[in-house]
Amino acid sequence: MRLLSLLVAIFLSLPLAAAELAYDLQPRQIAADTWLLEGSTENFAASNGGNIVNVAFIVTEAGVVLIDTGISKRYGEALRAAIGRVTERPIVLVINTHHHPDHVFGNQAFSDVPIASLARTRELLAEQGGAFADNMYRLLGDWMRGTEVLLPGETLEPGVREIGGHRLQLLAFSGHTGADLAIFDQTTGVLFAADLVFYQRALTTPQTPGLDVWLSDLEALEKLPYTLLVPGHGPVATGREPFAQMRDYLGWLDGLLRAAVAEGQDMNEAMRAPIPERFAAISLTRFELIRTVSHLYPKYEAQVFQRVDAGE
Amino acid sequence: MTVRSMGLALGWLLLSSPVWAGDSDPLQSPMWGFHQTRFLGTAPYEFDERVVLTAPPFAEDSRQVPISIDASALGQEVVRIVAWAELNPIAHIFSFFPEGPVAPRIALNIRVEQATPLRAAVLTRDGVWHVGSTRVDAAGGGCTAPSAVRAEAGWEEHLGEIFGARFPAGEGSRLRLRVSHPMDNGLSGGIPEFFIERAELRGAAGQRLASLELHPSVSENPTLTLQLGEADAGQRLWLRDNNGNEFEAAF
Ligand SMILES: [Zn+2]
């Protein structure tokens, strides 16, 4: 009897143990020929499978142009299936906007398609992809199973490229990671800003060459005559609000770090600085402030420190 | 003794002498007892909120985790501060002996090998240790990661360079500095221990104001923040590594 109840218990627990992790990807049309898979504005977590990023695709007459591939092999496969539910046309080009894991780790699902990026993006992914993968396996566990870094095989140059009736303006910037591609579809007026623009989600700084560089990138990007903006993270917008928020937030971060080093604060003091009420709607501000202080504080300190040893 | 009087006696004991009985650990760490015996011996101690040990909740970079200790609520009574990371292969971080105008406050960056409880034990003149605690989450590997300093060509030429400044802080001042040094802990790449093991803050006439014994759980290119009750005290900082190299800075 006892053995039977044990077997029943094991049987009942089986469906749970064997439950497949699955991304529920529902493409949403946001403009003519243009579809979005909007991620959450949370951090990477097992509860969201790392689906925290915006991925978009354009169904051109020549085939599908995909912009970023998501966080895992499993995400890439679900993405490819979701595209297949929208159109029967083949995928003709996959673009990696920058080398961050949430934008490129789905590449394996498109290994039979040309995958393209800026030359520097490929170098950065080759250098840092392994460490990113270790970190993502730690954070996301089984969602990442089978995921390996697949480097883009083609190089994108800035300029206008026409694909299947869409004039795509490729713009190379560097403020977020050192190599950041934005894509302006002149045909539809949609600007894919990738992670140069975070909206309602705190921006991330681990590879930024400097907040000043990022601010000047935004100045150039904002001049484009877009009618719809797709940020790398957060909701799409028709107006200029995401740029206003980015400028405000980057300016605040820069000012906070400058003031903190000028007052002689240590890193923990800067990490605990108050976050202005006007940023209350932006998710993960404290989390990202702690990270940003870790990334950038030594650079800001260098601006107020002087050589004090006798060696000079 | 009746049950009632036993209860009273027990109550009295709990109320009056938690120090002697040994407080219960706010972090409930199984490693507490081991490190308590090692660093505090049989001396009385209490977990004390007046010892503020601050660290970020998670280590963004396990090789550079900022910690700050502020025991100024214990005032002039402080004679020593000992800090350790319970689950590091080299647990001991530093022992700090503030004197005179030097406040019982210090901040620096450390390495962590994994998520770990952190402790700062502050000894007061009456022989009692006051313990502040916190915990830092970490992906880990900070102690065994290859050195970023050694990865840069020509780092030896910069060995011992010190960058820093003095900042006004209330009535007094604060010294902040960074020293170029790999702080090798002997756990990575077959490179033997090579680290700054001693620092002294001195007055203009060379008299010692505070001394600091460092261990290689301190990060490479170590940062240091010290607080002084006077605007210009502590004009000289002297450092020595375990290879006998001496470095000196003037503030
Ligand atoms: Zn990114």
Side-chain angles (χ1 to χ4, degrees):
Chain A
M1 194 59 207
R2 209 173 264 170
L3 182 65
L4 183 68
S5 60
L6 186 69
L7 287 173
V8 169
I10 288 171
F11 177 77
L12 285 174
S13 69
L14 272 179
L16 195 66
E20 266 296 297
L21 298 174
Y23 295 96
D24 178 29
L25 300 184
Q26 307 288 347
R28 173 163 65 92
Q29 189 164 14
I30 54 171
D33 306 334
T34 309
W35 300 74
L36 175 70
L37 298 114
E38 186 174 338
S40 86
T41 54
E42 299 165 354
N43 188 28
F44 299 105
S47 56
N48 58 36
N51 180 11
I52 60 154
V53 66
N54 291 341
V55 168
F57 60 94
I58 308 166
V59 183
T60 79
E61 280 162 23
V64 175
V65 176
L66 175 62
I67 300 169
D68 288 334
T69 61
I71 186 59
S72 60
K73 178 170 181 277
R74 195 187 297 258
Y75 181 101
E77 288 162 356
L79 170 62
R80 191 156 191 172
I83 294 169
R85 291 196 297 273
V86 169
T87 178
E88 288 177 352
R89 290 183 198 164
I91 298 166
V92 291
L93 179 66
V94 175
I95 294 174
N96 289 161
T97 58
H98 63 294
H99 76 292
H100 276 164
D102 45 337
H103 298 259
V104 303
F105 274 11
N107 280 3
Q108 281 162 289
F110 305 93
S111 57
D112 58 332
V113 177
I115 303 176
S117 74
L118 294 171
R120 182 71 186 135
T121 293
R122 180 171 48 240
E123 289 172 11
L124 288 167
L125 184 57
E127 281 168 26
Q128 299 169 12
F132 287 160
D134 290 349
N135 199 32
M136 288 303 135
Y137 272 90
R138 185 178 67 82
L139 290 171
L140 303 176
D142 200 33
W143 288 100
M144 296 298 294
R145 191 188 297 173
T147 304
E148 289 169 22
V149 175
L150 177 61
L151 296 179
E154 299 200 2
T155 301
L156 292 173
E157 302 290 345
V160 176
R161 183 161 166 179
E162 193 185 316
I163 303 177
H166 285 255
R167 285 177 58 81
L168 303 180
Q169 185 180 354
L170 308 178
L171 302 113
F173 295 103
S174 63
H176 175 54
T177 62
D180 300 283
L181 185 77
I183 301 150
F184 179 46
D185 185 340
Q186 296 175 340
T187 308
T188 59
V190 179
L191 172 59
F192 304 92
D195 282 8
L196 290 162
V197 177
F198 286 70
Y199 188 39
Q200 309 295 40
R201 199 275 187 212
L203 58 91
T204 71
T205 57
Q207 282 85 28
T208 182
L211 303 183
D212 50 339
V213 177
W214 200 334
L215 276 164
S216 72
D217 286 357
L218 289 170
E219 205 175 311
L221 205 52
E222 190 176 0
K223 291 198 180 104
L224 294 165
Y226 69 84
T227 52
L228 187 70
L229 173 73
V230 181
H233 300 265
V236 300
T238 52
R240 260 55 189 169
E241 304 83 7
F243 282 102
Q245 186 178 83
M246 281 296 291
R247 274 200 314 271
D248 192 7
Y249 196 85
L250 279 168
W252 165 71
L253 266 183
D254 183 55
L256 182 155
L257 294 170
R258 280 176 202 278
V261 296
E263 286 170 20
Q265 289 186 20
D266 67 48
M267 284 173 76
N268 276 297
E269 289 168 321
M271 287 172 172
R272 280 155 197 258
I275 291 167
E277 189 56 37
R278 66 183 188 278
F279 299 138
I282 303 176
S283 73
L284 296 171
T285 47
R286 176 65 61 191
F287 175 73
E288 293 299 345
L289 175 61
I290 290 169
R291 298 184 68 211
T292 293
V293 171
S294 299
H295 306 144
L296 301 181
Y297 213 61
K299 284 185 196 167
Y300 281 81
E301 282 173 334
Q303 292 166 12
V304 297
F305 282 2
Q306 274 135 32
R307 185 90 183 261
V308 289
D309 60 291
E312 200 184 56
Chain B
M1 196 187 264
T2 63
V3 170
R4 189 175 122 81
S5 66
M6 262 173 69
L8 281 174
L10 189 65
W12 180 85
L13 204 68
L14 287 171
L15 282 171
S16 63
S17 58
V19 161
W20 299 98
D23 247 347
S24 93
D25 174 14
L27 300 183
Q28 294 293 304
S29 162
M31 292 299 284
W32 162 253
F34 173 78
H35 290 294
Q36 177 234 328
T37 305
R38 178 178 163 201
F39 290 110
L40 313 185
T42 55
Y45 70 90
E46 60 179 356
F47 293 101
D48 191 333
E49 288 177 356
R50 289 174 295 178
V51 177
V52 182
L53 169 56
T54 308
F58 61 92
E60 172 64 10
D61 179 351
S62 297
R63 297 166 308 176
Q64 297 279 349
V65 181
I67 66 167
S68 316
I69 293 150
D70 183 357
S72 41
L74 295 167
Q76 293 295 312
E77 297 303 304
V78 174
V79 293
R80 192 190 312 172
I81 302 177
V82 178
W84 66 91
E86 283 193 354
L87 299 180
N88 265 9
I90 300 165
H92 199 173
I93 302 166
F94 66 78
S95 297
F96 177 44
F97 304 81
E99 292 170 41
V102 181
R105 284 183 74 162
I106 185 168
L108 43 65
N109 285 9
I110 67 166
R111 301 167 160 126
V112 295
E113 186 60 12
Q114 57 184 301
T116 180
L118 302 171
R119 311 283 186 178
V122 178
L123 178 64
T124 44
R125 282 181 214 289
D126 57 5
V128 177
W129 289 93
H130 306 263
V131 181
S133 307
T134 192
R135 192 187 287 280
V136 64
D137 191 12
C143 299
T144 46
S147 163
V149 169
R150 285 182 178 275
E152 279 174 31
W155 64 269
E156 298 99 327
E157 286 151 38
H158 299 286
L159 186 75
E161 285 181 1
I162 307 172
F163 292 84
R166 183 191 294 272
F167 302 88
E171 303 280 278
S173 63
R174 189 180 259 202
L175 298 179
R176 303 200 65 232
L177 57 112
R178 168 175 290 109
V179 190
S180 297
H181 203 288
M183 296 296 282
D184 297 312
N185 58 12
L187 301 174
S188 170
I191 297 162
E193 284 189 334
F194 178 44
F195 63 97
I196 296 169
E197 58 180 6
R198 198 160 171 81
E200 278 187 22
L201 187 65
R202 296 169 176 171
Q207 76 279 21
R208 189 181 69 207
L209 299 180
S211 61
L212 180 63
E213 174 198 319
L214 296 161
H215 295 266
S217 269
V218 173
S219 301
E220 54 188 322
N221 290 340
T223 57
L224 187 59
T225 303
L226 296 171
Q227 185 102 3
L228 295 121
E230 294 169 14
D232 58 355
Q235 286 89 340
R236 290 162 63 187
L237 184 86
W238 168 88
L239 304 142
R240 189 191 65 216
D241 68 26
N242 65 331
N243 280 14
N245 300 307
E246 295 185 37
F247 315 108
E248 196 157 2
F251 290 93

